[in-house]
Amino acid sequence: MLRTILLRASLSNLKTISGSLHEISSSASSSSSPSLSIWRRKKEIGKEGLIIAKELKRLQSSPVRLDRFIKSHVSRLLKSDLVSVLAEFQRQDLVFLSMKLYGVVRKEIWYRPDMFFYRDMLMMLARNKKVDEIKQVWADLKKEGVHFDQHTFGDIMRVFLDSGLPTEAMVVYNEMRRAPDPPLSLPFRVILKGLLPYPELREKVKDDFLELFPGMIIYDPPEDLFEDYPSSTESECN
């Protein structure tokens, strides 16, 4: 009887240990999942982050003092605080300070090239029509081998178009066409909608779409929508 009880207890302990190991393994696997990128999580600024953000805004008109403060205080921020302050500056369209923190983040020991980090930077810069900074960030992500998925390409290009940057948007489009991922129809539809004010560019993307997705239908608005663009060759409807 005693032997049976001891055997059952041992089996119970083994199940508990096995379950714990499974939970640890699942947790480790989840933490390395791209879907849990720190740049996708909700970013709430802590007390120290708020103090640092306020001081950075106060010092931004004094480059020397600002750089000194960044070296002495910002570099000591916890990762979560640094990420949240950058996200807040991006939300407020504070381009100068965002670029400063962008540089700080890329020097941190914990930094890893991340699609969402670069997506957020590019979208903020596009909203503010900062072409030189866009080129700088684009060069950095190319150097680091950052890979955008098809939906992110479409989202970035749409923001560029909505911000009146068609040339920069087409650079993104050409990168999207060269990407190894199989093309998806939804990003193309997002791009085509954003290209409505640019009929010549839209015609090019439309041709690519129809070649990639034969048989699919594209809605073309009435031609009089483009009467301010005499070079338009859009048809009434497919």
Side-chain angles (χ1 to χ4, degrees), residues 18-131:
S18 176
S20 298
L21 289 173
H22 177 72
E23 288 178 3
I24 293 171
S25 175
S26 298
S27 175
S29 175
S30 296
S31 65
S32 61
S33 171
S35 65
L36 294 179
S37 162
I38 59 171
W39 304 103
R40 295 191 71 184
R41 300 172 195 165
K42 187 175 182 180
K43 306 171 185 68
E44 294 183 358
I45 303 182
K47 183 177 180 180
E48 187 174 1
L50 285 170
I51 294 171
I52 294 294
K54 184 176 181 180
E55 191 65 10
L56 286 170
K57 291 168 75 171
R58 188 181 72 83
L59 294 174
Q60 63 181 315
S61 60
S62 178
V64 174
R65 293 177 63 195
L66 178 65
D67 288 341
R68 190 182 302 133
F69 181 78
I70 288 174
K71 290 178 182 178
S72 62
H73 291 78
V74 175
S75 59
R76 297 208 303 262
L77 275 176
L78 294 174
K79 175 169 66 174
S80 58
D81 282 329
L82 182 53
V83 169
S84 62
V85 172
L86 174 56
E88 181 60 20
F89 285 169
Q90 290 171 337
R91 188 188 68 80
Q92 296 182 30
D93 288 330
L94 299 175
V95 174
F96 177 71
L97 291 177
S98 293
M99 288 299 293
K100 283 288 186 181
L101 291 194
Y102 164 81
V104 172
V105 166
R106 294 180 67 242
K107 293 177 182 176
E108 290 293 308
I109 191 170
W110 49 261
Y111 170 75
R112 297 293 182 275
D114 188 287
M115 174 180 79
F116 299 103
F117 169 64
Y118 279 104
R119 178 201 65 179
D120 294 345
M121 282 300 301
L122 288 170
M123 287 182 169
M124 182 274 298
L125 293 172
R127 288 196 304 269
N128 294 276
K129 305 181 189 299
K130 296 296 183 179
V131 175

Side-chain angles (χ1 to χ4, degrees), residues 1-6 8:
M1 182 69 177
L2 179 60
R3 186 178 180 181
T4 302
I5 293 173
L6 290 174
R8 287 177 177 173

